[in-house]
Structures are given as structure tokens and as C-alpha cells.
Amino acid sequence: MDITKVFEVPIREHWRQPRALLGPGAVEAAGPESAAMGLKHVLIVTSGLRGTGIVDEVRKNFEDAGVAVTVYDKVESNPKDYNVMDAYKAFSEAQCDGFVSLGGGSSHDAAKGARIVAAHDGRNVNDFAGLNVAERLDNPPQIAINTTVGTGSETTPAYVITDTTSENAPYKWVGFDKACTTTLAINDPVLMLTQPAEYVAYTGFDTMAHASECYVNRIRMHSATPQSWKAVQLVEDNLRQAYANPRDIDAMTNMMWAQYMAAQAFSSGLLGIIHSLSHAVCAWYDVHHGLNNGVGIARVWTYNLPACPDRFADIADAMHATKPGMSRVEKADAAVEAVIRLARDCGIPENWSSAAEYPKTRVGQGWYENRPTKIEPDDEELTKMATHMLNDLCTPANPRQVTLETCKEILRDCAFDAMDSKVGAPLNGRPSHGGVGATMPRLGTTELPPGAVVEA
């Protein structure tokens, strides 16, 4: 009997997690830990963390432990294939024996890709898109030092790279590979106090997307659900404070735990189309992944709600959005309203076309030289992004099936929608959870505050 016709996911996989150090001062152990591993010369892979002094402090920590350091600090937001290949070149030319990724997901992912390239004698990183594509598991060690409250890449087997050079370009692909899990993850909330407020919001919504997608998707990895639910609660309870005052060590420490737990959860429980749509838009417009998640999350929750109202009702409980006597569908609606309020309170723009220009975008340079800076796609471009979204590695786990047309509709709403309609309000006689063209909630219009660019 072909049981695949009955069971969509008969076997779940629990992926290995790296050893981790978490808490104030944890970064001080990085150099001594590398020396204990027997490393002699490491490559720090980073964006530069402009204006923070963190790179110099970490470099000294390694050198004081007797470990030589070379720095590659050209990692871009939505790390590009050439960032990975340049990091590999720097690693090889300096004859390094280990990687240290310092920053957020862009730095960690670029280093992961460079490690796999190093293990495969310099092959192009775009050869390794997909699930467990690496042929060699023995690659250089990596210490991942995290500075943001999103991504979780320091602890996951996932990495995401933008292909700008092959016939598939532009394509932001996901690698999920047991060969790229880091050796040691370090989360020190003191480093996270350097983030400008808008990046706290962006990376915080990346964490909310990780946690909520893992909780509601069709994988139903039971060992991941407690972590993902708790991460939703931690984001609801702490993101506003961390955004309003990025120097609040208690709020930032709780957000550190939220991002770490959400990433541990989705390492085995996987994600959904919030991430698929964000990858598509990042490929075409090179904007911040977390901002995309913040704009897309309420629309995707609204679309997915009919497939799992019980799960969204649980999320409403985590977000303190329920009242006695509510039905499960009313609770699920309340979850959507709660995430809209959180986005509004944290300055997430109501749609992509109203978002301020992202300061780290590569639009206007290289492959992106002729790309517009505002996300105002026409139908042809929507079709291209929807195709990207449909083929993304994150899409199969989504709780509700999607088509090319439903992907286009969600992307169109994210780009242009400015409706004030409440969840459940009809649109042309159709209920808002009923399918394509459904009413999508409006997000807030607060402008993002200016600030130094730290890390994407």
C-alpha cells in the first residue's frame, strides 16, 4: 500500500542543535572556546557592525586567547552568492582553520555557505540549494556570535543565499543541510543593545514569524510546539519594550530567548509561506527580511486561519488576546488583530509600497542596478515573485495549500493594501477567510525612526 496517499509527513526529523552559551558576558568565552577547539587562525565573517566597536572587541578577545584573526566584513543584507565566495577566498588565502560569524543571519548564513564551499574545493555556493545537498559533512568549525533578536541562524541547520549570477537569478534560495549546523552558538544580550529601534522591530518580527509558522504548519512536530508557543508569548510581552528602548536589558534578554527558542523549534518543525513570500520579495527588491515578515504576517495568518483555527486560538492565548466565552474562531481572529496591533506599535509600515527605502539595499548596484527602490510590482513581476514563492523550500509545510494565483493575491495585498477592514468583514460578499481576494488587515503607518545601520 502506498501510504503517502494517506500521510503527508509520516516521518519527522529532529535536527542536531549546536552547543550554546547564552547570557550577559557570554561573548567573552568566544576566544578561549576557539583555543580549546584547537583553532589557530579564524576568519571573522561580518557586515562590519558599523559604529558599534563590536568587531574590534571580539577580534581582541580571540587574539588574547592566542588565536590569529582575519576579518571579512563585506557581508550584505540578504547575503549574496559573491559574498559567500569572497569569504571563502579570504579564508583560503589566509590559511584559516575556522570561521567566526559575527552579527545577524546575514553573517551566519554567509559563513555557513563558505564552510560548505570550503569542504567542496571551492565549488559555487549556488550548487548547494535545497535539502541536504552537501556531499561532504567534514567542514571547518564555526562559532556563531549573534547580535540581533531575529534569524536564529546561529542554532539552525538552515541558511539562505541570494543567487545573483546563475540563470536562475534573482533567486533567494534556502539550504537546509546537516553539514552547516554551527559548532558553537553564542547569544549575549549585551551585544544586542547596539541595535537601532527599527532593526529590533524587523528582527523581532522574524522571530514572530518563525515561532508562529512552526506552531501552525502541517508538520505538527510535537517537540517543537511548546518552544514555538512560548516564543510567541515572549515576543508579545517584550518586543514593544525592546523597540521603544533598545537599551532595556531585561526586554532584550527575553527577546534573545524568544529568537533562540523559535529557531530551535523551526529547525525541526519548519516554516511556511510568510518566509516564502519574504524570500521572493528580498530576491527582487533586496529589502530587510524581517520587515517583509512584519508586513506579510497578518495577511498570511488571515489566509491560513481556516486550515487550523485551533492553533491560531492558541496563539491568541499566548498574545493575551482572548476573552471568556470566545469561540475558537473568534480567538483565532483575535490573534490576527493582536499581531496587527503589535506591528503598528513597533512601526512596521502598512504595506511594502509605503515603506521607507531600506538603507542596506543593493538596489542601484550590481545586479540590482536598474531595480526600482519602491516595491510597486506590476502583474508580470507579481507573477515572477509568486512563482518564486510557490517553489520556495518553506512552502510545502504551510498549513493551507497555495496556488500561483493565491500567492499573487497575497503579494499584491502586501504591496498595496490599505484597507481598514476588520478580520471577518466581507469583501464583495466573500468572507475574509474564504480564499483569493480575501480582505487583508491593515498594518500601522508609523514612520521608522532614523538610526545607524547595524546588521540585517
Side-chain angles (χ1 to χ4, degrees):
M1 178 182 292
D2 182 4
I3 64 169
T4 61
K5 295 179 180 178
V6 180
F7 301 108
E8 287 187 296
V9 191
I11 297 175
R12 279 77 167 170
E13 182 172 2
H14 185 81
W15 292 69
R16 178 177 66 87
Q17 297 287 305
R19 177 168 166 259
L21 301 174
L22 302 97
V27 70
E28 298 299 326
E33 286 283 348
S34 69
M37 292 178 191
L39 298 179
K40 305 298 183 184
H41 190 163
V42 298
L43 179 72
I44 293 180
V45 178
T46 182
S47 69
L49 295 167
R50 176 162 52 86
T52 67
I54 290 175
V55 176
D56 291 338
E57 293 172 8
V58 169
R59 178 174 192 154
K60 184 177 186 302
N61 178 266
F62 279 84
E63 291 174 342
D64 287 348
V67 179
V69 174
T70 296
V71 176
Y72 172 77
D73 62 359
K74 301 296 190 296
V75 176
E76 299 165 9
S77 181
N78 304 308
K80 314 302 185 292
D81 44 10
Y82 53 82
N83 294 150
V84 175
M85 301 310 295
D86 288 347
Y88 161 70
K89 182 180 179 182
F91 178 86
S92 300
E93 290 179 348
Q95 298 183 324
C96 297
D97 55 2
F99 287 89
V100 176
S101 54
L102 177 60
S106 297
S107 297
H108 304 321
D109 287 4
K112 286 178 175 180
R115 286 169 58 212
I116 289 181
V117 169
H120 294 80
D121 303 319
R123 280 174 55 187
N124 191 287
V125 69
N126 293 321
D127 291 348
F128 301 98
L131 179 64
N132 278 329
V133 178
E135 299 164 6
R136 302 175 186 173
L137 304 185
D138 184 17
N139 59 38
Q142 178 182 355
I143 298 173
I145 304 172
N146 200 35
T147 64
T148 74
V149 294
T151 183
S153 183
E154 77 279 4
T155 195
T156 72
Y159 66 117
V160 189
I161 304 297
T162 302
D163 176 356
T164 67
T165 56
S166 81
E167 65 275 9
N168 297 321
Y171 196 83
K172 188 173 182 180
W173 54 262
V174 179
F176 218 86
D177 207 305
K178 56 181 174 286
C180 74
T181 301
T182 66
T183 311
L184 175 66
I186 294 179
N187 276 290
D188 188 332
V190 176
L191 300 183
M192 300 171 187
L193 300 178
T194 63
Q195 299 173 97
E198 62 266 37
Y199 292 100
V200 176
Y202 297 167
T203 55
F205 266 90
D206 193 20
T207 292
M208 180 63 94
H210 290 158
S212 61
E213 290 206 283
C214 178
Y215 193 81
V216 306
N217 71 24
R218 67 206 319 164
I219 302 300
R220 298 296 172 99
M221 188 78 172
H222 293 305
S223 61
T225 53
Q227 282 183 307
S228 54
W229 186 92
K230 184 62 177 179
V232 168
Q233 186 182 69
L234 285 168
V235 174
E236 167 65 23
D237 289 347
N238 294 279
L239 182 55
R240 288 177 179 85
Q241 293 94 315
Y243 166 73
N245 179 14
R247 294 287 183 174
D248 186 328
I249 186 63
D250 293 330
M252 202 64 74
T253 298
N254 286 330
M255 285 302 302
M256 175 202 76
W257 280 107
Q259 71 90 31
Y260 181 72
M261 293 169 64
Q264 282 198 315
F266 90 74
S267 291
S268 299
L270 307 185
L271 295 168
I273 63 169
I274 298 174
H275 275 73
S276 303
L277 72 85
S278 183
H279 296 156
V281 177
C282 284
W284 284 91
Y285 288 96
D286 200 40
V287 293
H288 195 287
H289 171 69
L291 183 148
N292 290 338
N293 289 346
V295 170
I297 193 167
R299 277 89 172 180
V300 173
W301 282 17
T302 300
Y303 177 80
N304 282 336
L305 193 151
C308 48
D310 55 333
R311 288 285 172 146
F312 281 105
D314 291 344
I315 286 178
D317 286 332
M319 298 184 75
H320 318 295
T322 59
K323 298 177 182 179
M326 277 184 166
S327 70
R328 64 173 186 160
V329 174
E330 289 171 333
K331 288 182 177 181
D333 284 349
V336 179
E337 295 290 352
V339 84
I340 294 169
R341 177 61 186 269
L342 181 62
R344 179 177 294 124
D345 289 348
C346 294
I348 300 295
E350 67 175 77
N351 52 41
W352 290 322
S353 58
S354 67
E357 184 177 348
Y358 176 48
K360 291 188 72 174
T361 183
R362 296 290 293 175
V363 168
Q365 304 176 57
W367 187 92
Y368 294 94
E369 186 172 358
N370 297 316
R371 300 296 303 146
T373 58
K374 291 185 72 65
I375 307 176
E376 297 177 328
D378 58 19
D379 190 73
E380 180 182 359
E381 196 161 75
L382 281 170
T383 299
K384 291 177 180 178
M385 290 194 294
T387 302
H388 189 304
M389 181 177 168
L390 197 62
N391 293 324
D392 193 275
L393 192 65
C394 295
T395 296
N398 196 66
R400 185 177 178 184
Q401 290 186 346
V402 292
T403 65
L404 183 66
E405 288 305 314
T406 55
C407 289
K408 282 180 67 175
E409 188 66 23
I410 293 169
L411 286 163
R412 184 181 291 110
D413 283 328
C414 289
F416 301 112
D417 181 57
M419 291 184 293
D420 291 314
S421 302
K422 297 293 184 181
V423 175
L427 176 64
N428 297 329
R430 293 170 294 180
S432 67
H433 301 311
V436 181
T439 300
M440 295 293 176
R442 179 181 182 181
L443 296 184
T445 58
T446 307
E447 292 186 0
L448 297 176
V453 176
V454 176
E455 173 66 26

